[in-house]
């Protein structure tokens, strides 16, 4: 458990427990609040929302697996987020939001000053919901927006909706992580996403696990990685009809690109610290190998 965190899964919460949680929120002693799959009354959910609104310390809020179970709860959460200024990561995975619920929540999300990571996986979204989400991915030079976005398992979104998202990602200067796993995307949408990846300056992780891709789209992705400069470092293609050979080729190319950038970055740092290093003497240079993306903003990734 992280310092200053409250993490409860699958429990029925009493009013006394809710009161203790709310007191901790008001005392600004909680950075992470996770109530995954818990049972609580509508009244107690409202109390939690008021605590979230008053908190200045809460950075991550996890209400996954059906906590936000009706429109009234969506409205209460939206009101809380309009007041709260500290939440950076919001998890609503497995909530029956639908496009109508997201429309109620969206105004609060769009004006929130700190929100950079959002999980709306398995939220029964459609094309209208995607249209709203695209508004949270402002184009280059505009206001700040999301850096990490999860839209896993929303099969109601059509190719039109995914195409709109691809355009938004292509023009967004901020998205680093995009999780679209377990959506029926197919090769057509994968082609649109390849164009988005090639255009994006920041997208480092793209999860396309279990999205109905074939060797055709994998070849398109391979051509993109091989022929265009890209920030992409991780492409997840598991559980698709793609040959292991193609997957390995893509992985190798991404690894090579990462190593080249790491070497270049280290060379620049070395020259700044030691400007007398001779460029023609490779033995005087060191190679710095890092883990790549670093810590994700979505600190708690389990659903």
């Amino acid at each position: 458990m992280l310092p200053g965190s409250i993490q409860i899964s699958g429990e029925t919460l009493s009013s006394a427990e809710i009161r203790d949680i709310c007191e901790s929120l008001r005392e600004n002693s909680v950075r992470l609040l996770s109530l995954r799959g818990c049972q609580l009354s509508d009244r107690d959910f409202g109390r939690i929302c008021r605590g979230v609104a008053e908190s200045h310390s809460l950075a991550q809020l996890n209400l996954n697996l059906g906590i936000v179970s009706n429109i009234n709860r969506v409205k209460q959460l939206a009101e809380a987020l309009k007041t709260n200024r500290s939440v950076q990561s919001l998890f609503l995975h497995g909530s029956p939001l639908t496009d109508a619920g997201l429309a109620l929540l969206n105004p609060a999300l769009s004006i929130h000053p700190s929100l950079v990571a959002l999980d709306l996986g398995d939220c029964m979204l459609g094309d209208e919901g995607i249209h709203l989400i695209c508004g949270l991915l402002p184009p280059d030079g505009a206001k700040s927006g999301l850096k990490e976005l999860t839209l896993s398992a929303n099969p109601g979104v059509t190719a039109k909706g995914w195409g709109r998202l691809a355009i938004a990602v292509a023009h967004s200067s901020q998205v680093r992580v995009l999780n679209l796993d377990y959506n029926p995307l197919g090769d057509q949408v994968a082609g649109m996403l390849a164009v988005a990846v090639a255009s994006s300056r920041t997208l480092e992780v793209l999860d396309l696990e279990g999205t109905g891709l074939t060797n055709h789209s994998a070849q398109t992705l391979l051509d993109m990685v091989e022929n265009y400069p890209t920030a992409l470092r991780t492409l997840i293609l598991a559980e698709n009809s793609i040959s292991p050979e193609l997957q390995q080729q893509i992985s190798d190319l991404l690894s090579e690109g990462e190593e080249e950038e790491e070497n270049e970055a280290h060379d620049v740092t070395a020259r700044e610290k030691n400007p007398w290093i001779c460029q023609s003497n490779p033995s005087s240079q060191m190679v710095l190998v890092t883990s790549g993306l670093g810590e994700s903003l979505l600190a708690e990734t389990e659903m």
Side-chain angles (χ1 to χ4, degrees), residues 264-283:
E264 289 174 3
H266 182 268
D267 289 348
V268 170
T269 302
R271 286 196 300 271
E272 289 174 349
K273 292 183 177 179
N274 303 286
W276 55 85
I277 289 180
C278 178
Q279 294 291 316
S280 61
N281 183 4
S283 64

Side-chain angles (χ1 to χ4, degrees), residues 176-189:
R176 294 170 52 224
V177 178
L178 180 61
N179 298 312
L180 301 179
D181 48 313
Y182 298 105
N183 286 297
L185 303 181
D187 290 338
Q188 178 186 3
V189 173

Side-chain angles (χ1 to χ4, degrees), residues 245-293:
E245 292 78 15
L246 270 176
Q247 293 195 47
Q248 189 61 52
Q249 283 181 273
I250 294 171
S251 177
D252 290 345
L253 284 170
L254 291 175
S255 298
E256 287 175 10
E258 183 176 358
E259 289 175 1
E260 287 174 4
E261 285 200 2
E262 287 167 353
N263 291 345
E264 289 174 3
H266 182 268
D267 289 348
V268 170
T269 302
R271 286 196 300 271
E272 289 174 349
K273 292 183 177 179
N274 303 286
W276 55 85
I277 289 180
C278 178
Q279 294 291 316
S280 61
N281 183 4
S283 64
S284 66
Q285 311 256 342
M286 295 177 62
V287 177
L288 176 64
V289 180
T290 69
S291 60
L293 180 62

Side-chain angles (χ1 to χ4, degrees), residues 8-254:
I8 308 172
S9 297
E11 300 289 336
T12 299
L13 299 176
S14 67
S15 293
E17 290 171 317
I18 295 296
R19 183 179 62 247
D20 291 342
I21 292 171
C22 292
E23 287 180 0
S24 296
L25 288 169
R26 286 192 293 269
E27 292 170 357
N28 296 310
S29 60
V30 179
R31 285 188 51 80
L32 186 159
L33 174 61
S34 176
L35 303 177
R36 299 171 61 252
C38 292
Q39 301 294 320
L40 64 163
S41 68
D42 287 343
R43 179 187 176 187
D44 284 341
F45 182 84
R47 292 167 64 190
I48 290 290
C49 286
R50 288 192 291 274
V52 169
E54 295 174 19
S55 176
H56 302 295
S57 64
L58 186 65
Q60 182 172 315
L61 178 61
N62 182 336
L63 300 175
N64 283 353
L65 304 181
I67 300 292
V68 187
S69 56
N70 56 56
I71 288 297
N72 285 333
R73 292 193 178 191
V74 173
K75 292 178 179 177
Q76 290 174 316
L77 178 59
E79 287 301 313
L81 292 173
K82 286 179 182 177
T83 303
N84 176 277
R85 291 290 179 269
S86 63
V87 170
Q88 299 173 32
S89 302
L90 177 64
F91 295 77
L92 299 176
H93 201 112
S95 302
L97 286 182
T98 73
D99 290 351
L102 183 57
L104 293 173
L105 190 60
N106 186 67
L109 299 179
S110 62
I111 64 171
H112 198 284
S114 302
L115 188 67
V116 292
L118 180 64
D119 185 342
L120 296 177
D122 194 18
C123 283
M124 302 173 65
L125 301 180
D127 288 355
E128 287 304 312
I130 296 298
H131 176 66
L132 295 172
I133 291 167
C134 288
L136 304 176
L137 306 175
D140 189 9
K143 63 180 182 178
S144 61
L146 295 177
K147 292 181 173 63
E148 303 195 13
L149 175 61
T150 295
L151 294 171
S152 316
N154 280 294
V157 181
T158 70
K160 178 182 178 180
W162 294 126
R164 178 175 283 169
L165 180 70
I167 293 171
V169 170
H171 290 281
S172 171
S173 62
Q174 301 163 72
V175 179
R176 294 170 52 224
V177 178
L178 180 61
N179 298 312
L180 301 179
D181 48 313
Y182 298 105
N183 286 297
L185 303 181
D187 290 338
Q188 178 186 3
V189 173
M192 293 186 283
L193 289 170
V195 174
V197 171
S199 301
S200 172
R201 297 199 301 262
T202 59
L203 187 64
E204 300 179 11
V205 178
L206 177 60
D207 188 350
L208 298 178
E209 180 175 359
T211 51
L213 307 189
T214 70
N215 284 344
H216 178 76
S217 52
Q219 186 63 56
T220 301
L221 291 164
L222 176 62
D223 292 343
M224 178 270 297
V225 172
E226 190 171 20
N227 296 305
Y228 296 92
T230 172
L232 195 66
R233 294 293 167 263
T234 302
L235 178 59
I236 301 172
L237 296 172
E239 296 191 32
N240 286 297
S241 299
I242 299 174
S243 68
E245 292 78 15
L246 270 176
Q247 293 195 47
Q248 189 61 52
Q249 283 181 273
I250 294 171
S251 177
D252 290 345
L253 284 170
L254 291 175

